[in-house]
Amino acid sequence: MALEWVVLGYAAGAEALMVLLLTLPGLDGLRKGLIAVTRGLLKPFLSVVPFCLFLLMDIYWKYETRPSCEGDSCTPSEHLHHQKSIMKSQRNALLIAAALLFYWLLYSITGLVVKVEQLNQRLERLKNRD
C-alpha cells in the first residue's frame, strides 16, 4: 500500500513546483510555456481528487477497524505499534490535505495568470490603436 502514497507525494510535489514557478517574479520568458504546460496538466491532475478521497476512506477504515490498545490490555511492543500506526495515519492525512490544497492553488493561480495575460494583451492592443 505504500506505492499510492509515493504517487500522491510525487503529484503533490509536482503541483507545488508548478505553483512556485507560476508565482515567481522574473520568469516572464518562461511563463507562456509554463502556462501552456500547466493548463495541459490540470485535467490529468484532477484525478488526484478522487484518489485522495479513496485514500481518506482507507485511513478511516483502518482507524475504525484498528484494535484498541488502552490501559494494561497490550504489551509495550503492541502499544508502540499502535502509536506508529496512528502517526502514519496522521502523516498520510496531511499528505492528502497538501495534495488537495496544491491542486486548488494550481487551478486558481493558473486561472488568474491567464486572466492577467489576457488583460496585458488587451492593454497592448489599446495602446497600439491610440
Side-chain angles (χ1 to χ4, degrees):
M1 292 293 277
L3 182 61
E4 60 250 4
W5 298 109
V6 171
V7 169
L8 187 62
Y10 281 136
E15 291 169 350
L17 183 65
M18 285 189 282
V19 165
L20 182 68
L21 289 174
L22 278 175
T23 57
L24 278 177
L27 295 177
D28 295 330
L30 290 172
R31 186 145 296 138
K32 288 190 184 212
L34 193 59
I35 290 171
V37 168
T38 304
R39 287 183 77 179
L41 288 176
L42 278 176
K43 280 192 180 181
F45 273 149
L46 184 61
S47 63
V48 166
V49 175
F51 189 60
C52 284
L53 293 176
F54 168 74
L55 292 176
L56 199 59
M57 289 185 342
D58 183 52
I59 289 173
Y60 178 74
W61 179 79
K62 285 179 182 177
Y63 177 76
E64 286 295 320
T65 60
R66 181 181 302 140
S68 64
C69 189
E70 298 173 1
D72 295 334
S73 65
C74 57
T75 65
S77 64
E78 289 173 338
H79 185 68
L80 183 64
H81 178 71
H82 180 72
Q83 291 297 324
K84 282 183 180 181
S85 176
I86 290 173
M87 294 279 287
K88 284 181 183 179
S89 294
Q90 290 172 346
R91 179 199 62 202
N92 292 341
L94 282 174
L95 182 60
I96 289 170
L100 291 173
L101 176 71
F102 281 129
Y103 180 78
W104 177 74
L105 283 172
L106 185 65
Y107 180 79
S108 300
I109 289 172
T110 303
L112 289 173
V113 169
V114 167
K115 284 182 183 178
V116 166
E117 288 292 322
Q118 289 172 349
L119 289 173
N120 283 339
Q121 289 173 357
R122 197 190 234 173
L123 185 62
E124 286 297 320
R125 280 187 297 209
L126 288 173
K127 282 182 183 179
N128 290 338
R129 191 171 55 168
D130 291 338

